[in-house]
Amino acid sequence: MAHRPKRTFRQRRADSSDSDSDSDSDSAEEPSAEPGAPGEQAVPGPEEEGPPHEGDRAEAAERPLRARGPRGRGRGRGRVWATSRRAAGAAPRADGECTTVDLSTDEEDGTYDASESKDDQSSPSDSSSSLEEEFSSIVNIPDAAFIQAARRKRELARAQEDYISLDVKHISTIADTKKDTTRNEESSEESQEDEKQAIWEEQQMRKAVKITKGRNIDLSHSSEFQTVKKFDTSISFPPVNLEIIKKQINRRLTLLQDTHRSHQREYEKYVEDVKSSKNAIQNLENSSDQALNFKFYKSMKIYVDNLIDCLNEKIINIQEIESSMHALLLKQAMTFMKRRQDELKHESTYLQQLSRKAETSTNGSLAIDEKTQCILEGIESRRAQRRQARALSGNCDHQEGTSSDDELSSADMADFQKSQGDILQDHKKIFEDVNDDFSNIQNILLKFQQWREKFPDSYYEAFIGLCIPKLLNPLIRVQLINWNPLKFNSIGLKQMPWFTSIENFIDNSMQDSKKEDNSDKKILSAVINKTVIPRLTDFVEFIWDPLSTSQTTSLVDHCRMILEEHSTCENEISKGRQDLVKSIVSRMKKAIEDDVYIPLYPKSTVENKTSPHSKFQERQFWSAVKLFRNILLWTGLLPDDTLKELALGKLLNRYLIIALLNAVPGPDIVKKCNQITAYLPEKWFENSTMRTSISQLENFIQFLLQSAHKLSRSEFRDEVKEIILILVKIRALNQAESFIEEYHLDHLKPVINQV
């Protein structure tokens, strides 16, 4: 049995008793119930058990009982097995001592639940409420105060008169004459009442259970409450036999067995997983190699993350310094180009004015503006400096017009060097605060080489060979900031630190790995394609001067190493290479259109080799020949058809031959033709079966034959032999044989037979 809850009604009862002592006798009297009294139900004592009879319940429902006052009702609340509801319509006794309480079940039970239960408890359970309602409908159970008062009166009666009076009318008298004695005894009986209270509560609970059981039995046998469920004979059920039942049982058994087997398989799988996990944990704990492997991979991840963070932070500075250097070189190139065009314009204008007699002054001098005079003086000053330099170097075969004319004044040179020095100073500061493990390409590649040597499978599965070019791109760009592929004797790519580091890394990869599809073999090609070629393309488009032989020679050397020796991949031309080739062709076309200018003057004017017109024409002719040579330097790098179109179709046939036709036949013409022929690629004429030269040289061949006819009738017979040799060299054998037979030059037939 659960512990009885702590009661607080003792103190309230004492307080109420004190207040009752000052009140009238009606409220001071305690109710009593004597067993055996007529018309009243005996209060069950501790020794009584079992439920009352039906007649007693009915009688008790009609007889009024003396109820408690407000104090008694307050003390009875909170118990699910007791009620203190006042019957509706009940009148107090005639003597005013008690009120009638109907403890049976009626419609006011619901009223009590809705009103008074809110004061006592928040929400009684459904089972407790059901038990209370059943119990209250069967028997009238007096509350604790009523029973205690009756018990005290019985004890008092036994102590004084040794009997219990059956006369109810004497109850109040006995209570009045013994009132003082009862109050004195209450304090001494406190401890006994606690025990008796507990016993009484237990008895009431037992009675409630037994009464409920008895009521259920009575109801089951009573025709008044018994509900008979009649069988409906109109309902038909399917026939049932043993076989059907057996099949259903077997079907159910099969389903259960399948479910059991499924659960068994899942269980076995889970057991195996647990076992495998435990073994893996044990192996990892016991294996030091796995721990070391994990440590290595973790360190590599941390290293790569830090490296990427570092490069992401520095890439902005790298781009800024690259842009500054590019802008400086572009400014210098544009200065040279604009100066050359301005000088050509002013010098040509001056010579045209010089040819016009009407524009000369009376004293024979030409009136020119101050700006033109200054430009002409500057041109002549630079030419004089170059002649002096050639004389000191012993170069006496130089032709005027083949110089690059890229000298700067001392002031311009000082400004350029200062700006370049500032950029290079900032360039050195990019990685000055970075550890060598994150700024030195060799150290970075060493990290990945250790990975490749220790764990080659994971290295190649991670495609590190494809990631390294992108990872090294910012570092290589830093080393290329001060690299000028147009500068004579500039450092080659193979001599750069990054190039040698990558080559060593690839060589070690070829030794360590036997895989045919080793991606490390393509690292250098990928780096060149992604990093070097774009930078070369920028130089070609914006800075390269095709008329400069030194720039073209240096650029060709670098491009030859890139385009021939380090192809990005077999049977495939990368987009970067295509862009570079297109830029080269486009830039040479632009140079032919914008920079080639050979003026045509009357022969009487140019016959005098010392005249300014003749000198200017000679310089412009040899400048065009220099461009012709520079274009043909790209042989082997650019398609032959492209070179033939540029050098022969656009330059030789449109400019050079026209200038030759306007010249006076003689040794000078043969010299110029020899120089042009010397620049033609030999591989164009390697076919031994060729008897006729290439179609683009047809105009040149006709000019040679024309010049030979003129010279054969003069004293320049040695020059005729030179022309025949030129025809033989360019594989114009049929034309050479026809000329020899026509002029009976039998001594020149061995020249043709030797070919």
Side-chain angles (χ1 to χ4, degrees):
M1 182 175 177
H3 295 286
R4 181 171 58 87
K6 182 178 180 181
R7 301 293 182 180
T8 59
F9 65 89
R10 295 298 182 186
Q11 184 64 32
R12 292 199 302 269
R13 182 175 179 276
D15 298 339
S16 179
S17 299
D18 296 338
S19 62
D20 289 345
S21 61
D22 300 330
S23 61
D24 57 356
S25 59
D26 294 339
S27 61
E29 291 179 353
E30 296 291 338
S32 64
E34 299 177 2
E40 295 186 6
Q41 177 164 351
V43 178
E47 68 280 357
E48 298 182 77
E49 296 291 339
H53 298 289
E54 290 291 335
D56 296 338
R57 287 199 301 269
E59 184 180 0
E62 297 177 356
R63 288 196 303 267
L65 295 177
R66 289 172 54 179
R68 299 170 296 164
R71 175 176 53 86
R73 288 196 301 270
R75 192 167 58 246
R77 292 180 181 176
R79 302 188 181 104
V80 299
W81 39 264
T83 61
S84 58
R85 293 187 292 272
R86 181 174 300 172
R93 284 176 162 253
D95 54 0
E97 295 178 352
C98 62
T99 60
T100 60
V101 178
D102 186 2
L103 300 179
S104 61
T105 304
D106 53 19
E107 294 179 354
E108 291 187 11
D109 290 345
T111 305
Y112 168 77
D113 292 339
S115 59
E116 293 186 0
S117 62
K118 294 181 180 179
D119 300 332
D120 298 328
Q121 293 183 344
S122 61
S123 175
S125 63
D126 294 342
S127 60
S128 302
S129 177
S130 175
L131 178 61
E132 178 184 359
E133 290 176 0
E134 291 181 1
F135 183 61
S136 62
S137 64
I138 297 172
V139 66
N140 294 328
I141 301 176
D143 57 7
F146 184 84
I147 295 173
Q148 290 175 3
R151 185 180 295 117
R152 286 195 297 270
K153 291 179 180 180
R154 286 197 301 270
E155 292 175 356
L156 182 61
R158 291 190 186 98
Q160 296 182 358
E161 302 179 7
D162 200 21
Y163 74 96
I164 298 176
S165 176
L166 297 178
D167 188 2
V168 180
K169 296 181 180 180
H170 296 286
I171 293 176
S172 59
T173 306
I174 296 173
D176 294 337
T177 55
K178 304 302 180 181
K179 185 174 182 180
D180 296 335
T181 305
T182 301
R183 291 182 178 178
N184 294 332
E185 292 176 353
E186 283 181 355
S187 60
S188 63
E189 292 176 355
E190 287 292 331
S191 59
Q192 297 179 2
E193 287 181 358
D194 291 337
E195 296 177 358
K196 293 177 181 179
Q197 176 68 18
I199 295 173
W200 178 85
E201 291 176 353
E202 182 178 358
Q203 290 175 351
Q204 299 304 317
M205 287 295 295
R206 291 177 181 175
K207 290 179 181 179
V209 174
K210 291 181 179 180
I211 291 172
T212 303
K213 290 181 179 180
R215 180 173 181 264
N216 292 338
I217 295 173
D218 293 339
L219 291 176
S220 64
H221 293 85
S222 175
S223 59
E224 180 180 357
F225 299 98
Q226 183 176 8
T227 303
V228 179
K229 183 177 181 181
K230 296 182 180 180
F231 179 74
D232 190 359
T233 57
S234 63
I235 300 175
S236 61
F237 294 94
V240 178
N241 53 32
L242 184 60
E243 187 66 24
I244 295 176
I245 297 174
K246 183 178 179 181
K247 287 182 180 180
Q248 293 180 351
I249 293 175
N250 289 334
R251 189 182 302 109
R252 178 62 176 169
L253 179 60
T254 302
L255 293 175
L256 293 176
Q257 288 175 348
D258 293 341
T259 304
H260 174 71
R261 284 192 295 269
S262 176
H263 293 171
Q264 186 68 22
R265 286 193 298 270
E266 292 182 1
Y267 171 75
E268 293 174 356
K269 179 179 178 297
Y270 294 149
V271 171
E272 289 297 327
D273 291 343
V274 172
K275 184 178 179 181
S276 176
S277 300
K278 290 182 179 179
N279 292 335
I281 293 173
Q282 186 176 3
N283 293 335
L284 291 175
E285 291 177 350
N286 297 333
S287 176
S288 59
D289 294 338
Q290 295 292 338
L292 293 176
N293 295 349
F294 173 76
K295 184 178 180 180
F296 175 80
Y297 285 124
K298 184 177 181 180
S299 63
M300 281 299 301
K301 181 182 182 301
I302 295 174
Y303 173 77
V304 173
D305 290 342
N306 293 333
L307 177 60
I308 293 175
D309 292 341
C310 173
L311 297 179
N312 288 336
E313 181 179 346
K314 298 296 183 180
I315 192 64
I316 299 177
N317 295 337
I318 296 173
Q319 292 174 347
E320 291 178 353
I321 296 176
E322 276 183 338
S323 300
S324 300
M325 181 62 75
H326 181 78
L328 180 64
L329 297 177
L330 178 61
K331 179 181 178 181
Q332 185 186 51
M334 296 301 295
T335 299
F336 291 147
M337 185 178 299
K338 186 176 184 303
R339 186 181 70 180
R340 181 173 64 234
Q341 293 177 352
D342 290 343
E343 290 177 351
L344 178 62
K345 178 181 178 181
H346 285 83
E347 190 171 7
S348 175
T349 302
Y350 167 73
L351 293 175
Q352 289 177 0
Q353 293 177 357
L354 190 62
S355 300
R356 298 171 184 174
K357 300 294 184 178
E359 297 179 1
T360 58
S361 60
T362 55
N363 56 5
S365 61
L366 180 65
I368 57 176
D369 60 277
E370 183 178 353
K371 181 179 180 181
T372 302
Q373 184 67 31
C374 180
I375 291 176
L376 294 177
E377 291 176 357
I379 295 173
E380 191 59 34
S381 174
R382 292 195 305 274
R383 288 173 184 166
Q385 293 177 0
R386 288 194 295 270
R387 294 190 196 101
Q388 183 179 2
R390 287 193 298 269
L392 294 175
S393 63
N395 185 8
C396 300
D397 295 334
H398 181 79
Q399 298 293 334
E400 290 286 345
T402 57
S403 300
S404 298
D405 194 17
D406 54 1
E407 297 87 1
L408 287 174
S409 64
S410 57
D412 293 338
M413 181 60 68
D415 293 340
F416 176 81
Q417 292 178 350
K418 181 179 182 303
S419 300
Q420 188 179 37
D422 295 340
I423 294 173
L424 295 179
Q425 192 68 24
D426 295 336
H427 159 258
K428 294 179 181 179
K429 296 179 181 179
I430 295 177
F431 287 103
E432 67 177 1
D433 59 340
V434 179
N435 190 284
D436 289 343
D437 290 340
F438 300 95
S439 60
N440 188 287
I441 294 179
Q442 184 176 0
N443 293 347
I444 294 173
L445 292 177
L446 183 61
K447 293 281 187 180
F448 291 100
Q449 184 175 343
Q450 293 174 356
W451 184 358
R452 185 178 60 195
E453 293 174 354
K454 292 181 179 180
F455 312 103
D457 293 337
S458 64
Y459 174 87
Y460 289 107
E461 289 175 359
F463 299 99
I464 301 301
L466 302 179
C467 301
I468 288 179
K470 297 180 181 180
L471 199 63
L472 299 181
N473 175 271
L475 299 171
I476 296 174
R477 288 167 60 183
V478 170
Q479 296 188 24
L480 294 177
I481 287 177
N482 194 30
W483 178 62
N484 187 352
L486 306 178
K487 187 177 180 180
F488 183 70
N489 290 332
S490 61
I491 183 174
L493 294 177
K494 292 184 177 181
Q495 286 73 41
M496 291 186 175
W498 65 266
F499 194 98
T500 56
S501 298
I502 294 177
E503 275 192 332
N504 294 334
F505 181 79
I506 295 175
D507 293 339
N508 294 331
S509 173
M510 300 299 294
Q511 297 174 2
D512 298 340
S513 176
K514 298 181 180 179
K515 294 184 177 181
E516 297 181 357
D517 57 344
N518 187 354
S519 59
D520 289 351
K521 295 187 298 184
K522 302 178 182 179
I523 291 178
L524 186 57
S525 297
V527 167
I528 292 175
N529 185 46
K530 298 295 184 181
T531 306
V532 180
I533 288 181
R535 184 164 178 80
L536 272 176
T537 304
D538 290 340
F539 272 97
V540 170
E541 289 182 355
F542 304 104
I543 302 174
W544 174 44
D545 181 11
L547 269 71
S548 174
T549 301
S550 61
Q551 290 187 13
T552 304
T553 303
S554 178
L555 182 62
V556 168
D557 292 339
H558 291 296
C559 291
R560 191 177 304 278
M561 189 276 298
I562 292 172
L563 298 179
E564 287 185 352
E565 299 184 13
H566 297 279
S567 178
T568 52
C569 56
E570 297 180 358
N571 300 325
E572 182 181 349
I573 299 179
S574 68
K575 183 179 182 300
R577 293 182 64 192
Q578 293 177 352
D579 294 341
L580 177 59
V581 171
K582 290 180 180 179
S583 300
I584 294 172
V585 175
S586 176
R587 185 67 187 90
M588 290 191 296
K589 286 183 179 180
K590 188 174 186 301
I592 294 174
E593 295 172 358
D594 297 345
D595 297 326
V596 176
Y597 172 68
I598 304 177
L600 298 178
Y601 298 112
K603 290 185 178 181
S604 59
T605 305
V606 297
E607 285 179 353
N608 184 8
K609 300 299 181 182
T610 60
S611 67
H613 299 83
S614 177
K615 291 181 180 179
F616 180 71
Q617 187 183 57
E618 286 293 304
R619 285 194 298 269
Q620 292 305 115
F621 177 85
W622 286 110
S623 175
V625 172
K626 181 177 66 172
L627 179 59
F628 179 82
R629 175 197 177 188
N630 293 344
I631 292 174
L632 293 177
L633 287 176
W634 293 97
T635 302
L637 299 178
L638 300 182
D640 289 341
D641 293 340
T642 302
L643 293 176
K644 290 177 183 179
E645 179 187 358
L646 292 173
L648 303 181
K650 293 183 177 297
L651 187 54
L652 177 62
N653 293 332
R654 291 185 182 180
Y655 294 97
L656 297 179
I657 291 180
I658 294 176
L660 291 173
L661 290 172
N662 192 50
V664 178
D668 188 57
I669 294 294
V670 177
K671 180 181 179 180
K672 292 177 180 179
C673 291
N674 263 326
Q675 194 66 50
I676 292 173
T677 305
Y679 295 146
L680 294 175
E682 294 182 358
K683 73 171 189 175
W684 289 0
F685 314 102
E686 290 178 351
N687 189 357
S688 60
T689 62
M690 289 179 59
R691 303 292 297 179
T692 304
S693 184
I694 57 179
S695 60
Q696 289 86 348
L697 291 176
E698 186 63 29
N699 293 334
F700 183 62
I701 293 172
Q702 294 299 325
F703 171 76
L704 291 175
L705 292 174
Q706 181 181 352
S707 299
H709 284 295
K710 293 180 180 180
L711 294 175
S712 63
R713 293 190 295 265
S714 63
E715 69 276 9
F716 300 108
R717 293 187 178 271
D718 293 339
E719 280 73 13
V720 174
K721 181 180 179 179
E722 292 293 332
I723 292 175
I724 298 298
L725 293 176
I726 292 174
L727 292 174
V728 172
K729 184 177 180 180
I730 62 177
R731 306 300 295 185
L733 301 181
N734 293 335
Q735 291 87 339
E737 289 179 352
S738 299
F739 182 83
I740 291 173
E741 292 178 357
E742 180 180 356
Y743 287 93
H744 306 287
L745 301 176
D746 296 336
H747 64 283
L748 295 178
K749 288 184 179 180
V751 177
I752 300 176
N753 295 331
Q754 291 176 1
V755 177

